[in-house]
Amino acid sequence: MKSTAPRFYRLDSQYSTFFVDATGTGVPACRYWGPRLGPDADPECLSLLHQLARVPSGLDQPVRLSLFPTLGFGFWGHAAFEGNRRETHWAHEFQLTHIEYRDNHLSISLEDPIAKLALSLEFVMDTTTNVLKSRTRLTNRGDNAFDLRWCAAACLPLPAVRMELLVFQGAWTQEFQIQRILFPNTCWVRKNRRGRTSHDSFPGLMVGTHGFGADSGDLYAFHLGWSGNHHLLAESLKEGERQIQLGELLMPGEVILSPGESYTSPWAYACFARGGTNAVSRQLHQFVRQRILPTQVAKKTRKVMFNTWEAIYFDHDPAVLNLMAVKAADLGIELFVLDDGWFSQRSDDASALGDWDPDSQKYPEGLSTLIKRVQSLGMDFGLWLEPEMVNPDSNLYRRHPDWVLQLQDRPLPLARNQLVLDLSQAPVTAYLFDTLDRLLRRYPITYIKWDMNRDLCAAGHQGRAAYRRQTLAHYDLIDRLRAAHPGVEIETCASGGARVDYEILRRTERVWTSDCNDAFERHAIQQGFTLFFPPEIMGTHVGPAISHTSGRRLSLNFRAHTAFLGHFGIECDLRELDDNQLAELKTHIANHKQWRDLLRRGTYVRLTPADENRLAYGLVGPDRNRAIYLIVQLAKAKPNTSNLIRLSGLDPKQHYRLKLMRPLDPSVEKYLTNRKAWVETGLVANGQSLQEAGFALRLQFPETSVLLQVERE
Ligand code: DGJ
């Protein structure tokens, strides 16, 4: 339907309604976004009910929050847009020119005839998964340059009820740490300037009704699909309205639009759900599965992998690798990933990035011998690369010192002894494409771990800030490589999980979630990660007995359980495991293979144990015939707390057999009442009683866990 007549539009999904009021001459506004309204909902009435009261000492005609509030004419909050033409046209007022609506897709065209700018706002509601995506496009219609400083990808309203924010903090080996704070009376702002999504400021947040839980509360989730700099804000406005804005953070002078040029923002994603974090994650996971990830993730089994990093680091000895491959194959590993250290002169992290030829000392015949051995053992071969980086101590840098991001006559700060290649330069990307393409043609590599181990600073291209260009050129490089080698899977890694978002996931199949292989710390990371991302892309490895990043010692059972409900891998020196441990690990891998189909299709369910030192979550199959839950005792149970667990996600009308998966931690087995039933015969119970009454299960020791397998009778 096309129309220029002022009117109301509604975007509906199964669960929600987003009402847009375009009755005025300016920027339309969202007058309702929440649970789906019936067909009789009266948009005019909704709009009228939300008229702003005139505030004393305010404008005679208060300015309401729109879908793109601007600066200069009485909107007192953060504007969705900032920019100017030399010293003028810093204040803007857009007029509605055209609206197009078709199948839950709304395109709003506007212009500011004085500032000579055209704007288009796009909203698409995904009917089945309930995710609303939006983006903005700004065009300079003037005859001189327009300096763009901020252009939100989305500016969305929230109901003014008592709410809490769920935001993320983090650091290396501590990504996706959840923080809950009251919705601010003023403004909460997050600006990420690291040139990647970062360890500390993941571009996503949730807003929920006060006290929301795993199954309770109304939640709104927001995410920016962009792997560079970002800007998020949550603001309470004086007039009682609330806004969330998400967009790309632009550096001064980074986007200067010449006459006729446009800027298109990244996509922002938003989702409303009633029913706590489980409901919102269910919708986001389905959306990522159906609309974001390359299709092969859904089609292919998630192969169990071995990664060499924490096993050998840079110490690549073909005899040791051969032994490791034999042991890995015997354990049931299906993909062998050769991490950093395989290329020429790479004996530590100080040199050689950029020179992507196998080291002739370590690999006299190239990688072929190792790859053939790996394949003959029935495994696929994967390779680590860090294409965007270069060490000053490398042949590439010696040949092309001008190929790095830099600002003339300014310092070039190193991080991990490396610099960043300037992907805006055509010869740089041509070199990278040819090098990677040659490797993929020469060797039967089915998997790339694409790493990126530093933040961007002094990120200049011919004097201008180049974060945006770098991000776009990086996407382009991967896209070209994927088109040339469609069968090769790519893992996104940036010193762990510092580059993860819905845009990079359009072109990658797995995330290296964190360099933290400490299973205890991992739980917090994985809890945060799975809020926005489904478990099948969450790389999670069984690390060494004593964690290399924390010094903590944990049992093999606990480490294997922690990796069980994600994309499972092993990352430790297999020579350190005795026969009993190898046998135990083999059983865990075999068990994982029996249940891993739930990863791609299952529903992720968080449980709420009475004991706050416990954590419990699971995966329930699409037809609710099978489910698997992990119950973790992180610290000793608080005195006088019940060890009750209620299982949600099952069919209340069905009967299920529950069994604890073997191998069990000896301490768990020791304190088990009714051991025979829990471990051998299984216990049969009805879904409703499991949900409403639950069951008691004691885990006496801290840092122990059990996997509970549940199958319909
Ligand atoms: C950082 C990654 O996160 C690690 O897993 C490993 O690949 C190293 N880089 C290699 O340098």
Side-chain angles (χ1 to χ4, degrees), residues 4 185 201 219 294 309 314 346 500 530 584-585 611 669 679 693:
T4 43
N185 222 337
S201 172
L219 269 116
W309 182 239
F314 296 100
R346 183 72 167 169
V500 195
T530 45
E584 183 185 337
L585 189 50
D611 174 8
E669 196 146 6
V679 187

Side-chain angles (χ1 to χ4, degrees), residues 309 339-340 346 384 416 449 451 453 493 495-496 512 515:
W309 182 239
D339 211 282
D340 197 353
R346 183 72 167 169
W384 177 93
R416 210 193 187 211
K449 178 177 177 185
D451 207 346
N453 283 305
C493 170
S495 301
W512 181 226
D515 275 351

Side-chain angles (χ1 to χ4, degrees), residues 408-480:
Q408 209 185 348
D409 302 329
R410 296 283 189 182
L412 258 182
L414 290 169
R416 210 193 187 211
N417 307 306
Q418 60 198 56
L419 296 170
V420 187
L421 289 169
D422 179 0
L423 303 187
S424 302
Q425 299 185 36
V428 176
T429 40
Y431 166 78
L432 290 177
F433 180 82
D434 291 347
T435 309
L436 302 182
D437 179 63
R438 202 171 333 110
L439 273 170
L440 293 176
R441 285 184 200 284
R442 181 163 169 208
Y443 298 116
I445 295 165
T446 62
Y447 187 90
I448 291 178
K449 178 177 177 185
W450 187 304
D451 207 346
M452 191 246 198
N453 283 305
R454 64 160 293 172
D455 296 324
L456 269 51
C457 53
H461 170 83
Q462 295 171 357
R464 282 178 71 174
Y467 297 90
R468 173 175 173 75
R469 299 171 68 129
Q470 185 78 0
T471 309
L472 292 171
H474 168 237
Y475 293 152
D476 188 57
L477 179 63
I478 304 191
D479 291 346
R480 284 176 60 208

